[in-house]
Amino acid sequence: MKLAAGTAAAGIMLPTLAQAQESKPAAPAASADAVPSAATALTPGWRSVMIGEARVTTVLDGLRPGDGPHPIFGENQSAETVAALMRENLLPETRFANGFIPVVVEIAGSRVLFDTGFGAGGRENGMGRLTERLAGAGYAPEDIDVVVLTHMHGDHIGGLMEANAPTFANARYVAGQVEYDFWTSDEAKNGPRAANAEMVAKNVVPLKDKMTFVGEGAEVVPGIVAHEAFGHSPGHLVFTVVSSGQTLWLTADTANHFVASLQKPDWEVRFDMDKAAAIATRRKIFDKIAADRVPFIGYHMPFPGIGYVETIDGGYRFVPLTYQLDV
């Protein structure tokens, strides 16, 4: 009892029942990595759950506090309107923290990593901690069999390379054909998003020969299927994980704030490249998740990034994971 009270007070996360029962790979009893956050609390670095027979591990690549959420979220709303929504949800009105959460799914004999965080380019600002925290969860970079890119924005592809060599040396790669074609086009290279296109040229293009390009309904490995969810980026993909009758959605950047983007799905988001398409995609994906009452992982949801949604007037309410997957 003293141990439980002490760890709770320190903010250290004890393992779930599912973690305790796992044998592959071996993982510490609790997150091996905890660092002070801006609020001086302890932030765990990873969390594992079971979806059927699949082990799913979310990894916090970093947490970035900053001004907002307006105008990043609710760009087509007034600052006062966004602040009022934050106040209604007991959140700061002019500050927020953005997390970045790659995911490892161990299924059908494969270890599949979704997105790679910032990599070395983000470390000065406390990002780029993916490989460090993967080690705490029991994975080395060479253990990863498949790397899936939901899309090719910098916070998803920055960790593909380390010291000009592939970080995940034994992996094959999966990406959307539409997404790759856009970021390697003259339009992307010479337009307002040229800096991101340059990062794609540096981190993604060298891996092309080991890359499989996919679209709607493509199977990554048995149990993982791609779905087109365009809008946030030209070829943005989401994925379903199905194992032993249980389903999990990996929604990537379909919704990027657990209040602003879900309660108000029609509010525009600065980083959505096609805002109308992104709004339609948000509603389509989260209508499905809410109707089926299944969990999802969002790349920018509050860590560990796992939760459910229910429909409310005009949108959705985020319900964070507690013990639903432990019993």
Side-chain angles (χ1 to χ4, degrees):
M1 291 179 66
K2 288 181 179 179
L3 174 61
T7 55
I12 297 173
M13 179 179 61
L14 292 175
T16 65
L17 176 63
Q19 283 177 287
Q21 292 174 338
E22 294 166 30
S23 59
K24 179 188 176 184
S31 172
D33 170 61
V35 297
S37 73
T40 71
L42 292 178
T43 301
W46 59 272
R47 169 77 188 271
S48 289
V49 297
M50 298 300 292
I51 300 296
E53 300 300 315
R55 183 193 189 202
V56 178
T57 301
T58 63
V59 182
L60 185 62
D61 187 69
L63 186 69
R64 182 169 64 193
D67 293 335
H70 187 270
I72 298 171
F73 299 94
E75 191 174 32
N76 58 336
Q77 306 294 316
S78 69
E80 293 77 11
T81 298
V82 177
L85 182 67
M86 297 303 106
R87 185 166 59 251
E88 290 169 8
N89 286 272
L90 302 177
L91 292 170
E93 296 178 23
T94 60
R95 296 282 291 174
F96 81 115
N98 198 13
F100 306 85
I101 306 176
V103 179
V104 177
V105 178
E106 192 169 347
I107 187 172
S110 295
R111 296 182 174 106
V112 184
L113 171 66
F114 290 83
D115 296 323
T116 67
F118 283 93
R123 292 194 185 123
E124 286 188 6
N125 297 314
M127 313 296 164
R129 305 190 67 180
L130 172 61
T131 55
E132 169 195 344
R133 287 172 163 173
L134 277 176
Y139 297 103
E142 58 267 24
D143 294 333
I144 301 301
D145 301 304
V146 185
V147 175
V148 178
L149 302 177
T150 61
H151 62 296
M152 297 183 186
H153 286 165
D155 57 324
H156 295 255
I157 65 171
L160 282 168
M161 293 285 180
E162 193 75 36
N164 297 316
T167 305
F168 306 98
N170 297 327
R172 64 180 180 90
Y173 300 85
V174 174
Q177 183 72 66
V178 173
E179 186 78 355
Y180 183 88
D181 289 348
F182 172 78
W183 288 111
T184 56
S185 69
D186 289 340
E187 176 187 357
K189 292 176 182 177
N190 298 306
R193 300 179 177 87
N196 197 90
E198 184 177 346
M199 180 176 285
V200 170
K202 178 181 177 182
N203 282 17
V204 179
V205 173
L207 303 171
K208 182 181 179 181
D209 290 345
K210 299 181 69 175
M211 194 167 287
T212 301
F213 294 104
V214 299
E216 176 66 34
E219 186 177 69
V220 176
V221 298
I224 299 179
V225 174
H227 305 276
E228 294 176 351
F230 300 167
H232 177 69
S233 69
H236 183 267
L237 297 176
V238 300
F239 296 83
T240 47
V241 177
V242 179
S243 176
S244 298
Q246 295 187 34
T247 298
L248 169 76
W249 282 79
L250 303 178
T251 61
D253 283 16
T254 304
N256 288 343
H257 191 283
F258 76 106
V259 171
S261 289
L262 287 174
Q263 291 186 19
K264 304 293 184 181
D266 295 338
W267 282 9
E268 292 181 357
V269 179
R270 172 172 291 177
F271 298 115
D272 287 345
M273 294 171 63
D274 183 333
K275 292 175 174 50
I279 289 167
T281 290
R282 257 193 299 283
R283 288 197 170 276
K284 176 182 176 181
I285 296 298
F286 286 101
D287 278 351
K288 175 67 173 172
I289 292 171
D292 292 347
R293 298 172 64 89
V294 296
F296 78 100
I297 297 173
Y299 193 75
H300 298 287
M301 291 294 106
F303 187 80
I306 312 170
Y308 299 77
V309 291
E310 63 175 358
T311 55
I312 59 173
D313 291 342
Y316 316 91
R317 182 176 76 92
F318 179 66
V319 181
L321 176 73
T322 54
Y323 56 78
Q324 295 96 325
L325 300 177
D326 295 331
V327 295

